[in-house]
Amino acid sequence: MTAIEYTGLAELARELREGTVTSTAAVQTALERIEATQPTLNAFRCTRPEAALAEAAEADRRLAAGVGARRDGAWGRLPLLGVPLAVKDDTDVAGLPTRFGCAGDIPDASEDGEAVRRLRAAGAVIVGKTNSCELGQWAFTEGPAFGATRNPWNTGHTPGGSSGGSAAAVAGGLVPAALGSDGAGSIRIPAAWTHLVGIKPQRGRVSVHPYDDCFQGLTVNGPLARTVGDAALLLDAVAGPHAGDRFQPTAVDASAAARREPGRLRIALAWRPPFTATPNPLDPGIARAVTDLAEALAGLGHTVDEARPRYGLIGLSFLPRATAGIAEYADRHPDPTLLDPRTRSATRTGRRLGGRLLRAARAREIHQQRRIGALFDTYDVLLAPTTAAPPPRIGTFDTMPAWRTDLAMAAACPYAWPWNVLGWPGVNVPAGFTRDGLPVGAQLLGPAGSEPLLISLAAQLEDTRRWFAHRPPAPAPA
């Protein structure tokens, strides 16, 4: 193992600036690690070795010339100059197809998506695109197009989804951080199941351009990293709107928040998920881990009380928006007959629930924000499990029809998706491990624009819990 492997994002950026490592070496190491682990982890859909190494060489020239450094010696507009990063394959990278987990002849993207443009503007080198399940609709990253992505902590289990490739890449030490997306927990769930920090930002915080209002406002882009500071640094790099974006929240400084004490907070611990019409018993190992985390928060001086958000029947708003979003993506596919039968089933549902029902679901959002947001008249932060179950085994869902897959996902992951309906931010933090050694997580949730508070609280927890010190075992040879 070289010194570059498992180096954090901020630390690697500093080493590049100080000249103790070169971008060429960092990018070459990432590419070698990706290639070596593809047979075991299968985290990446594709890499761009020639282009990435050429960009790394250019970054080395710029680093040697001091490009981006201010006169006071601090680093300026290129905080990620030369750092290798990965993006989920639902985000456009010029010259590569955006397959989003789908088979078929997908044309190359003509230009970078806004988030990738911002990464490049910060100096990052994109080494490749990570795997996703088909159209991001499941909490596992498996499918006929690109196989199964596996969990670095135990390759018999899924890393989660739909940002499972990004999570596996970071947890496995292939890249220091990666971009994912979250439409129903798709950053927070794989972060929980791979022992990472995952930030679901406020809707509009990170542009989804050239798309607009992804999955009817449910989906946002955000970072996965091993530390809060690294996740905050990546969020700052990609945050900001495209001129045509519908949602443009006021800017925040996530990195500053990660260095700031949160103060003494009132924290609501919510065990009960919203109604899903499915049994969703909480795994005892997750209950123990979240209880331990709540006790740690109390030990830091916060007040932690059990409470129950007034979710109501929020699922009646989620279903039309989610399935309509799937239908919109499926309709853009050049050959929809190649899609998974479960995707085609969701597409039919989305068409049936479109129109008046979809408009009604969107119109209910402001009432749901008021009803659920009343919790924050009493509390500052909501703490909840990220999932009800630990990561399932690979292949668990292979033979399930659409309705059984949906029920199984709702049972395993009932906690995350309401915050997508609301459009509000949430942060997954590692909560520990089950007795079988599988990672589990907890989410810190807040109202609109509360990323700084959530990040400050997560950083305070990290100082005491030091979850970044734990690494998965080295993968066995293929």
Side-chain angles (χ1 to χ4, degrees):
M1 184 177 293
T2 71
I4 296 173
E5 292 168 13
Y6 285 102
T7 302
L9 180 63
E11 182 182 357
L12 181 56
R14 178 183 57 80
E15 290 177 354
L16 286 162
R17 293 194 296 270
E18 293 175 352
T20 57
V21 68
T22 66
S23 178
T24 298
V27 169
Q28 184 65 51
T29 297
L31 291 168
E32 289 173 355
R33 287 276 290 165
I34 293 166
E35 183 179 8
T37 59
Q38 271 301 97
T40 49
L41 298 183
N42 190 32
F44 278 77
R45 202 274 297 168
C46 67
T47 56
R48 45 193 305 273
E50 292 183 5
L53 286 169
E55 291 165 15
E58 175 60 22
D60 285 331
R61 287 191 286 272
R62 300 173 83 184
L63 286 161
V67 173
R70 302 201 307 255
R71 290 182 180 179
D72 60 4
W75 209 246
R77 294 180 298 166
L78 298 171
L80 301 179
L81 184 55
V83 176
L85 293 175
V87 300
K88 182 178 177 181
D89 194 25
D90 62 346
T91 301
D92 287 355
V93 174
L96 297 174
T98 304
R99 294 191 178 276
F100 205 176
C102 298
D105 187 13
I106 310 294
D108 291 347
S110 59
E111 59 184 26
D112 292 332
E114 178 65 14
V116 172
R117 187 195 70 77
R118 288 176 178 270
L119 281 180
R120 292 192 196 274
V125 177
I126 309 301
V127 294
K129 304 187 77 178
T130 58
N131 275 338
S132 165
C133 61
E134 194 168 281
L135 301 186
Q137 60 195 303
W138 301 305
F140 54 90
T141 302
E142 303 169 42
F146 302 107
T149 296
R150 295 174 179 271
N151 196 319
W153 292 92
N154 184 324
T155 55
H157 292 257
T158 179
S162 62
S163 303
S166 289
V170 177
L174 314 187
V175 288
L179 196 65
S181 63
D182 191 315
S186 288
I187 287 173
R188 290 163 289 158
I189 292 166
W193 284 348
T194 58
H195 199 66
L196 297 177
V197 176
I199 300 177
K200 174 217 173 298
Q202 174 74 25
R203 183 185 300 146
R205 180 75 62 211
V206 180
S207 177
V208 294
H209 184 82
Y211 309 101
D212 179 55
D213 198 31
C214 275
F215 284 85
Q216 294 295 320
L218 297 177
T219 296
V220 297
N221 292 332
L224 294 110
R226 288 186 290 276
T227 70
V228 175
D230 285 353
L233 176 58
L234 183 54
L235 178 58
D236 283 338
V238 298
H242 183 271
D245 284 351
R246 184 180 309 191
F247 304 103
Q248 300 192 18
T250 303
V252 299
D253 188 336
S255 295
R259 298 188 295 268
R260 190 167 58 234
E261 288 293 317
R264 292 194 174 187
L265 304 177
R266 300 160 299 171
I267 300 173
L269 172 58
W271 294 112
R272 293 284 298 274
F275 177 73
T276 60
T278 60
N280 38 43
L282 183 61
D283 179 85
I286 296 177
R288 284 191 298 270
V290 177
T291 297
D292 185 52
L293 200 70
E295 291 173 351
L297 288 165
L300 289 167
H302 305 294
T303 300
V304 182
D305 299 320
E306 291 191 19
R308 187 176 181 183
R310 296 175 55 216
Y311 288 118
L313 297 177
I314 192 171
L316 296 179
S317 291
F318 174 77
L319 184 61
R321 295 170 69 169
T323 55
I326 293 169
E328 289 163 359
Y329 271 85
D331 287 344
R332 292 197 288 264
H333 194 283
D335 186 0
T337 63
L338 296 176
L339 296 174
D340 189 298
R342 295 172 291 188
T343 302
R344 299 200 297 271
S345 175
T347 298
R348 291 190 294 270
T349 301
R351 290 171 182 153
R352 286 196 300 269
L353 298 181
R356 182 175 59 85
L357 289 175
L358 178 59
R359 289 192 296 273
R362 295 299 300 264
R364 289 293 301 167
E365 182 179 303
I366 189 169
H367 303 288
Q368 291 157 342
Q369 289 172 340
R370 289 171 181 163
R371 184 180 66 245
I372 299 170
L375 179 87
F376 297 108
D377 294 337
T378 305
Y379 297 99
D380 301 300
V381 173
L382 176 65
L383 169 68
T386 302
T387 68
R393 293 195 66 83
I394 295 288
T396 297
F397 310 96
D398 281 357
T399 60
M400 289 186 183
W403 65 272
R404 282 198 61 198
T405 301
D406 292 340
L407 290 177
M409 287 297 92
C413 303
Y415 290 100
W417 56 268
W419 248 243
N420 297 88
V421 176
L422 301 171
W424 292 345
V427 177
N428 176 82
V429 294
F433 299 85
T434 67
R435 287 172 178 165
D436 295 330
L438 296 171
V440 296
Q443 48 182 346
L444 305 173
L445 304 168
S450 60
E451 291 102 321
L453 180 62
L454 301 178
I455 289 168
S456 293
L457 181 58
Q460 185 187 49
L461 262 176
E462 182 178 83
D463 284 343
T464 62
R465 308 273 290 189
R466 296 185 59 81
W467 48 64
F468 52 83
H470 299 281
R471 298 177 183 173

